[in-house]
């Protein structure tokens, strides 16, 4: 009995130390990015440019249709939706390029000997960088939306649920782009795959317009694909919170993370064997 208790305590202690280790990496990543707030601020101005252009296009669209509501979205709701979607889309760091470079340069072999998981270390570093960018995008975008569209239309339920689904969306992005970066073990250039995934996410993820506005059969195809869980789902949750759709989104995001992590683990294990075979 005492042996089992000691073993359980040892496991809990290791888990606690691992948690503190990666939390520290996250904090350092946040601190490093906060040191360059001016650069991050100017980069976030891209949200202003894109949302301003899109908002003008949507104002013309509403005027031409002579409607105040299109597929459940008013012009006010549409602008806040665009802010929410673009804030996530434009906060993505250059993760694939970094992983690609570490693999191709051989630096990965040296990074693997550190007393921490290479994947979790990169996730903590990525999350710290992305949270700072996302927060700045949200602040700048909210200022623009208040000037252009007025007070936000969402309630406290959407405001509370939005950070959770946005965090899950960022985690899905990490799994996808990290897996693409590891493909550098087999192919010379991974950027075409990264570019393809990002464009599919932008077009079919609903960042330019809610998926309800898409014509059939594009709407049904986009809703069936997983890209909507990254941008459309979180943005719609903020401006149009519905409990049943929120639960469906959570289930979709968690399922994507489980499947994505399993694929990432398989790619990573095969990649590690290639490092060992090549004398890394």
């Amino acid at each position: 009995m005492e042996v089992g208790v000691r073993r359980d305590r040892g496991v809990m202690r290791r888990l606690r130390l691992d948690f503190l280790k990666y939390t520290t990496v996250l904090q350092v990543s946040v601190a490093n990015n906060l040191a360059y707030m001016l650069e991050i601020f100017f980069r976030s101005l891209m949200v202003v440019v894109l949302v301003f252009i899109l908002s003008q296009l949507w104002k013309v669209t509403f005027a031409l249709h002579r409607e105040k509501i299109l597929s459940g979205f008013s012009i006010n709701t549409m602008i806040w939706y665009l802010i929410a979607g673009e804030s996530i889309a434009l906060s993505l760091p250059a993760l694939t390029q970094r992983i690609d470079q570490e693999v191709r340069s051989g630096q990965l072999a040296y990074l693997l000997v550190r007393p921490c998981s290479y994947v979790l270390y990169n996730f903590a570093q990525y999350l710290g960088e992305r949270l700072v960018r996302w927060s700045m995008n949200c602040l700048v975008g909210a200022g623009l939306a208040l000037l252009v569209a007025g007070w936000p239309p969402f309630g406290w339920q959407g405001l509370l649920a939005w950070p959770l689904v946005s965090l899950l969306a960022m985690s899905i992005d990490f799994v996808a782009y990290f897996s693409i970066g590891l493909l550098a073990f087999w192919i010379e250039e991974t950027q075409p795959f990264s570019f393809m995934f990002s464009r599919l996410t932008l077009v079919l993820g609903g960042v330019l317009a809610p998926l309800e506005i898409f014509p059939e059969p594009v709407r049904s195809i986009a809703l069936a694909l997983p890209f909507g869980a990254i941008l459309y789902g979180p943005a719609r949750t903020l401006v149009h919170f519905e409990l049943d759709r929120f639960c469906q989104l959570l289930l979709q995001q968690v399922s994507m993370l489980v499947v994505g992590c399993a694929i990432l683990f398989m790619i990573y294990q095969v990649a590690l064997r290639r490092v060992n075979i090549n004398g890394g």
Side-chain angles (χ1 to χ4, degrees), residues 219-240:
R219 180 195 311 169
S220 299
I221 295 174
L223 288 171
L225 294 174
F227 301 105
I230 300 175
L231 297 176
Y232 163 75
R236 194 186 190 285
T237 297
L238 176 65
V239 300
H240 275 317

Side-chain angles (χ1 to χ4, degrees), residues 61-118:
T61 302
F62 274 84
L64 291 176
H65 284 79
R66 297 181 180 179
E67 297 284 349
K68 293 185 177 181
I69 303 292
L70 286 177
S71 300
F73 286 82
S74 65
I75 186 62
N76 178 283
T77 307
M78 182 68 71
I79 292 175
W80 281 98
Y81 170 89
L82 294 173
I83 291 291
E86 294 287 358
S87 297
I88 299 176
L90 295 179
S91 65
L92 180 67
L95 176 65
T96 303
Q97 287 181 323
R98 185 170 69 244
I99 303 303
D100 191 339
Q101 182 62 30
E102 289 175 354
V103 172
R104 287 164 42 179
S105 66
Q107 188 181 3
L108 176 64
Y110 298 98
L111 298 176
L112 290 175
V113 300
R114 292 181 301 188
C116 61
S117 167
Y118 178 70

Side-chain angles (χ1 to χ4, degrees), residues 11-196:
V11 172
M12 293 302 297
R13 184 171 180 271
R14 286 194 296 271
L15 290 175
R16 185 168 62 253
L17 290 175
D18 286 341
F19 177 78
L20 292 175
K21 182 192 308 180
Y22 298 116
T23 302
T24 303
V25 175
L26 173 63
Q27 293 172 349
V28 171
S29 178
V30 170
N32 288 339
N33 284 274
L34 288 176
Y36 300 96
M37 284 300 294
L38 191 60
E39 177 187 348
I40 294 174
F41 170 75
F42 282 114
R43 183 176 296 175
S44 66
L45 293 180
M46 183 60 68
V47 176
V48 176
V49 175
L50 290 177
V51 173
F52 179 77
I53 294 174
L54 290 173
S55 65
Q56 297 307 307
L57 293 174
W58 279 113
K59 284 182 178 180
V60 173
T61 302
F62 274 84
L64 291 176
H65 284 79
R66 297 181 180 179
E67 297 284 349
K68 293 185 177 181
I69 303 292
L70 286 177
S71 300
F73 286 82
S74 65
I75 186 62
N76 178 283
T77 307
M78 182 68 71
I79 292 175
W80 281 98
Y81 170 89
L82 294 173
I83 291 291
E86 294 287 358
S87 297
I88 299 176
L90 295 179
S91 65
L92 180 67
L95 176 65
T96 303
Q97 287 181 323
R98 185 170 69 244
I99 303 303
D100 191 339
Q101 182 62 30
E102 289 175 354
V103 172
R104 287 164 42 179
S105 66
Q107 188 181 3
L108 176 64
Y110 298 98
L111 298 176
L112 290 175
V113 300
R114 292 181 301 188
C116 61
S117 167
Y118 178 70
V119 177
L120 294 179
Y121 174 86
N122 275 281
F123 176 67
Q125 191 177 40
Y126 154 90
L127 191 60
E129 182 177 359
R130 188 155 195 187
L131 286 176
V132 173
R133 293 186 178 188
W134 174 69
S135 300
M136 179 60 71
N137 289 345
C138 291
L139 290 174
V140 173
L144 172 66
L146 287 173
L147 292 175
V148 175
W151 195 250
F154 44 81
W156 62 269
Q157 299 99 325
L159 196 60
L160 289 178
W162 185 47
L164 173 60
V165 292
S166 296
L167 178 62
L168 290 173
M170 296 175 196
S171 301
I172 294 170
D173 261 348
F174 171 81
V175 172
Y177 285 102
F178 195 91
S179 301
I180 292 173
L182 289 178
L183 294 179
F185 277 99
W186 295 274
I187 59 179
E188 183 176 353
E189 183 63 50
T190 63
Q191 291 311 303
F193 295 95
S194 176
F195 179 83
M196 185 183 305

Side-chain angles (χ1 to χ4, degrees), residues 200-268:
L200 286 173
T201 303
L202 290 176
V203 175
L204 298 178
V207 71
L208 303 177
L211 298 185
E212 289 93 340
I213 296 180
F214 283 26
E216 291 291 355
V218 179
R219 180 195 311 169
S220 299
I221 295 174
L223 288 171
L225 294 174
F227 301 105
I230 300 175
L231 297 176
Y232 163 75
R236 194 186 190 285
T237 297
L238 176 65
V239 300
H240 275 317
F241 180 84
E242 298 173 7
L243 184 59
D244 55 341
R245 299 193 67 156
F246 170 66
C247 294
Q248 292 175 5
L249 176 61
L250 282 181
L251 179 61
Q252 182 184 13
Q253 289 182 321
V254 172
S255 301
M256 288 180 62
L257 273 177
V258 171
V259 175
C261 287
I263 296 174
L264 171 59
F265 178 77
M266 289 187 293
I267 297 175
Y268 184 64

